[in-house]
Amino acid sequence: AIALDSNFYTAYTIRAQFKTAFKYFKEAVADYTKCIQLQPLNEMALYERGLARIENDENESAIKDFEAAMKIKPDFTECIYQKGMARMRMKNYSGAIRDLNDYIKLKPNMAMAYLKRGVCYDKTGQNYKACKDWLRASMRGLYEADALLKMKCK
């Protein structure tokens, strides 16, 4: 499709999704970028490029993509969560906690958000808060939190 029409943004998106599935993240970012050049208000392409950028360890750029996607679609809450994940990878745990706080206010039943925020609390020496979050994650069915509770909480 790209060979027939290089302005067919959907073809770039589909190709980028395949590249992402096969872990060719750098190439996926290039295709998402072309898609966004052709359709600048495509919040899903921005979001997915952000995810690929996290995998490339381009976390600052990923955060910018998530923020741009939320300017287009303000209720795109997954962008808030992914900003927190990018900040965690950058070891900006206080920033990740802020993002995860915002996400949890909007999605209070998302167990993984509690688990990840608990990790951030633990990394910043806030053991009590970490244990509370791991318990919340466990109570919501995320049993990976049980190991952290047993290992780090008394």
Side-chain angles (χ1 to χ4, degrees):
I2 292 170
L4 295 174
D5 183 359
S6 64
N7 291 321
F8 187 48
Y9 72 89
T10 304
Y12 289 101
T13 301
I14 292 168
R15 190 167 75 177
Q17 290 168 340
F18 275 107
K19 288 176 180 176
T20 298
F22 289 101
K23 301 190 184 310
Y24 294 108
F25 300 113
K26 185 176 182 183
E27 295 84 356
V29 167
D31 278 347
Y32 284 125
T33 298
K34 183 64 177 171
C35 173
I36 293 161
Q37 289 169 347
L38 295 170
Q39 192 184 38
L41 298 180
N42 187 329
E43 77 278 355
M44 280 306 297
L46 284 160
Y47 174 76
E48 290 177 8
R49 183 175 71 177
L51 294 176
R53 283 182 160 164
I54 286 176
E55 294 298 331
N56 276 340
D57 215 21
E58 301 171 25
N59 297 299
E60 290 284 350
S61 295
I63 290 168
K64 289 177 184 173
D65 281 346
F66 299 135
E67 288 172 346
M70 287 192 69
K71 284 182 183 171
I72 298 164
K73 187 178 179 192
D75 64 343
F76 201 163
T77 56
E78 283 305 305
C79 290
I80 300 168
Y81 178 80
Q82 292 302 335
K83 282 179 13 178
M85 296 304 92
R87 291 188 208 288
M88 278 185 76
R89 289 182 70 144
M90 295 165 50
K91 297 184 178 9
N92 176 356
Y93 300 114
S94 60
I97 289 168
R98 282 192 304 275
D99 290 331
L100 292 168
N101 285 343
D102 291 343
Y103 182 74
I104 288 168
K105 284 178 193 168
L106 298 168
K107 302 272 187 166
N109 292 317
M110 294 303 293
M112 186 59 75
Y114 289 103
L115 180 98
K116 297 293 186 174
R117 188 176 69 178
V119 169
C120 293
Y121 281 138
D122 183 59
K123 295 284 188 182
T124 58
Q126 300 177 70
N127 184 263
Y128 176 75
K129 288 182 177 182
C131 293
K132 271 179 62 175
D133 270 358
W134 294 330
L135 181 60
R136 288 176 179 138
S138 178
M139 291 171 54
R140 286 167 174 78
L142 190 61
Y143 300 111
E144 294 93 326
D146 292 343
L148 290 166
L149 281 165
K150 288 177 186 172
M151 185 171 54
K152 299 201 172 227
C153 307
K154 298 184 190 228

